[in-house]
Amino acid sequence: MSAEWGRVRTRLQSEVGEVEYRTWLRQMSLGGTDGDEVTVLLPTRFLRDWVRSHYGDRISALWQAENCRVRRVDIRVGRGPEGLTTPVSTTPAAVPVADATEPAVAIADDGLDGRGDSSGLDQRFTFETFVVGKPNEFAFACAGRVADKPFSPGFNPLFLYGGVGLGKTHLMHAIAWKLQGARRAAPPVSVTYMSAEKFMYKFIAAIRNQSTIEFKDNLRSVDVLMIDDLQFLIGKDNTQEEFFHTFNALVDAGKQIVVSADKSPSDLSGLEDRLRTRLGCGMVADLHATTFELRISILEAKAAKASVSVPPRVLEFLAHKITSNIRELEGALNRLVAHSALFQRPITLETTQEVLHDILRAHDRRVTIEEIQRKVAEHYNIRLTDMSSARRARNVARPRQVAMFLAKQLTSRSLPEIGRKFGNRDHTTVMHAVSRVGSLMESDAAFSEDVELLRRMLES
Ligand code: ADP
Ligand code: MG
């Protein structure tokens, strides 16, 4: 296999050229093979996504040319033996501990079978790298508490919820790492982390292999069970039932459960009532949508970590534009950094707009001019039709200018396009509105706060 892998790499290298290869592909390693499936590993999600979307098909084709049995190439996050650093223990075996008197802690992505899996715990997801702000401080505090003192009744189960990309998985991994690093946990603590999806696959496989008893025993023997993205179990009745029993057995035995989902227990309709009730019995903490301030802090932290200098204007621009979630924000920054390293160009507002234009466009689509008009009209208590009417009374004209200003800020529409949507006004009128609102915001704090509030409402 490794000879074949070597040839695939060499061919790829000659196809894409040295620079591209070194930038994106050099860190690939062979994860393993399983029947007709080959796993290729990359050290970060960013690289994985990039390689998947830009070279995935080519890598598959080259593998098939080498070995016709290969049907699928799976590109994942992880480090193989060829990786640059030694891999984290991704097998369910106990992590070797330097001092034999210290408690052994088994960290496994599933702890249930002997196959190593590179989708275990992400090294980057620790409490230290988690940026805390208003929207996530409560969840952060609860996670920290469980990591420090697991098994406290008030915090068991710990239920973390929030929309995608807001840090649920990050906090769960942080808890697992912290428990692993805990020096004083008198009896050894075994932690099992897995996604609900994985839980289901393991369960189904156990049924198929007639090893459900072993499956149950294994799960019930852990001290801390963490299940990520529980909403996946909605509609999977048998798996849900099994999870419910495991859950009860563990809680009754005083073990710790940590669960994440995209909604609160009471909103997880489709999950059995008794399970929802029990899930809500411990501590329920939500991760709110990010604020501008949190987005700035996260960008600053990540830029500092990557040791690149990103002008504050660019950070602000990104924090204004990419509001959906932290994952996208991170992805955008990573792409900027990679681009600037690749072409040896400093990061400026112009390069940012150029490099990220597809992402920015996708985000623009989230807010339409009509929405802006509606929200602003509502806010100032004027009629929606006044957004395009010819009325010039101040109480109508000012909100209209605010709407134009926000349209310019939040969408990628040009000035003439915006003018057209506001009763066929000229682009110079829009330009005037934008600069007027801008200077008013500088001189009038209350007005500025008002506009910021509207912006935030539109962005969320
Ligand atoms: P979720 O599981 O809620 O969908 P993740 O935990 O996977 O989201 O987070 C998405 C990405 O954003 C990850 O790379 C994570 O490290 C990062 N991230 C999320 N919240 C924070 C935070 N508060 N500070 C730093 N990085 C964060
Ligand atoms: Mg997640």
Side-chain angles (χ1 to χ4, degrees):
M1 254 314 161
S2 62
E4 288 170 5
W5 174 229
R7 284 194 293 274
V8 169
R9 292 181 72 126
T10 313
R11 299 246 335 243
L12 202 57
Q13 189 167 3
S14 65
E15 278 184 21
V16 304
E18 186 61 32
V19 176
E20 223 175 292
Y21 184 84
R22 266 210 305 208
T23 311
W24 306 113
L25 299 161
R26 192 185 40 150
Q27 299 194 62
M28 280 190 309
S29 56
L30 182 61
T33 54
D34 186 2
D36 55 7
E37 187 178 305
V38 174
T39 305
V40 170
L41 303 177
L42 283 143
T44 66
R45 289 186 192 199
F46 173 63
L47 277 174
R48 174 202 63 191
D49 294 343
W50 187 278
V51 169
R52 227 187 233 163
S53 59
H54 291 82
Y55 307 104
D57 291 344
R58 200 56 208 138
I59 295 173
S60 296
L62 288 173
W63 262 111
Q64 273 156 14
E66 279 298 328
N67 181 340
C68 57
R69 275 190 327 166
V70 172
R71 290 252 168 276
R72 226 175 82 75
V73 175
D74 192 16
I75 300 175
R76 290 207 243 164
V77 177
R79 289 184 199 271
E82 309 163 55
L84 295 178
T85 56
T86 34
V88 215
S89 175
T90 50
T91 58
V95 172
V97 186
D99 179 351
T101 60
E102 278 174 6
V105 180
I107 291 277
D109 75 303
D110 53 49
L112 294 175
D113 65 12
R115 240 186 99 219
D117 192 320
S118 50
S119 65
L121 294 174
D122 194 313
Q123 270 179 307
R124 297 163 310 161
F125 294 179
T126 63
F127 285 120
E128 288 70 36
T129 58
F130 192 85
V131 180
V132 186
K134 272 261 171 316
N136 59 25
E137 62 188 6
F138 184 63
F140 176 80
C142 293
R145 166 68 206 255
V146 167
D148 285 337
K149 276 179 96 181
F151 321 118
S152 323
F155 289 81
N156 198 13
L158 172 63
F159 189 99
L160 298 170
Y161 76 93
V164 296
L166 295 181
K168 301 181 296 292
T169 299
H170 189 134
L171 281 180
M172 290 183 102
H173 288 204
I175 296 173
W177 286 123
K178 182 93 182 257
L179 286 168
Q180 177 197 33
R183 292 280 179 268
R184 299 200 180 285
V189 176
S190 66
V191 182
T192 287
Y193 164 88
M194 71 180 119
S195 65
E197 190 178 1
K198 187 124 191 183
F199 181 90
M200 186 185 83
Y201 288 125
K202 297 275 167 205
F203 179 52
I204 292 174
I207 295 174
R208 206 174 44 225
N209 305 331
Q210 299 181 316
S211 59
T212 46
I213 300 206
E214 205 186 328
F215 173 83
K216 287 175 208 242
D217 284 351
N218 272 329
L219 273 180
R220 284 170 181 50
S221 69
V222 305
D223 298 317
V224 180
L225 177 65
M226 311 178 97
I227 301 288
D228 205 351
D229 290 322
L230 191 78
Q231 72 275 3
F232 183 83
L233 295 190
I234 288 173
K236 323 287 196 303
D237 293 345
N238 293 336
T239 311
Q240 212 182 106
E241 181 80 16
E242 183 56 33
F243 173 71
F244 182 64
H245 292 312
T246 307
F247 178 94
N248 284 336
L250 287 172
V251 171
D252 291 345
K255 306 298 178 65
Q256 176 76 47
I257 307 264
V258 181
V259 165
S260 85
D262 63 351
K263 295 195 192 66
S264 73
S266 50
D267 288 337
L268 277 174
S269 50
L271 219 54
E272 259 193 80
D273 283 346
R274 47 184 193 158
L275 178 54
R276 277 176 19 198
T277 308
R278 288 215 75 169
L279 283 169
C281 276
M283 182 53 72
V284 177
D286 56 344
L287 290 139
H288 296 277
T290 59
T291 56
F292 179 72
E293 292 73 24
L294 179 62
R295 292 195 292 278
I296 287 283
S297 314
I298 287 173
L299 286 169
E300 281 170 352
K302 308 232 172 209
K305 190 131 200 299
S307 323
V308 289
S309 103
V310 184
R313 270 182 70 196
V314 170
L315 296 183
E316 275 167 31
F317 175 77
L318 291 177
H320 270 311
K321 290 283 186 182
I322 302 178
T323 55
S324 49
N325 65 52
I326 300 167
R327 184 173 301 135
E328 295 219 22
L329 198 60
E330 203 175 16
L333 183 67
N334 285 344
R335 204 203 285 183
L336 268 187
V337 170
H339 184 273
S340 127
L342 181 57
F343 295 103
Q344 311 247 309
R345 279 165 66 185
I347 297 173
T348 64
L349 202 51
E350 287 67 44
T351 55
T352 303
Q353 280 167 328
E354 188 185 308
V355 173
L356 301 179
H357 87 115
D358 53 339
I359 300 184
L360 296 172
R361 280 253 310 272
H363 281 266
D364 278 349
R365 244 176 269 124
R366 292 159 39 90
V367 185
T368 62
I369 293 185
E370 286 75 15
E371 257 174 273
I372 294 173
Q373 293 177 327
R374 201 159 32 75
K375 267 268 153 49
V376 174
E378 227 168 70
H379 182 78
Y380 288 103
N381 220 351
I382 62 170
R383 285 194 308 259
L384 183 57
T385 50
D386 277 335
M387 285 291 162
S388 37
S389 78
R391 290 181 60 200
R392 284 155 167 258
R394 166 83 85 80
N395 69 326
V396 179
R398 184 56 38 81
R400 193 189 292 134
Q401 288 182 323
V402 168
M404 289 182 193
F405 172 85
L406 289 170
K408 182 72 196 114
Q409 295 254 311
L410 302 177
T411 74
S412 61
R413 301 285 168 184
S414 65
L415 295 173
E417 279 174 313
I418 296 174
R420 242 170 277 139
K421 297 260 186 186
F422 285 82
N424 264 327
R425 285 179 156 78
D426 194 67
H427 77 275
T428 51
T429 309
V430 183
M431 216 151 70
H432 173 71
V434 172
S435 85
R436 184 88 190 98
V437 171
S439 54
L440 263 179
M441 284 176 77
E442 273 168 32
S443 60
D444 183 342
F447 176 73
S448 163
E449 223 166 79
D450 232 28
V451 177
E452 277 304 322
L453 179 81
L454 274 166
R455 183 219 299 279
R456 245 172 265 146
M457 275 186 339
L458 284 161
E459 280 178 340
S460 61

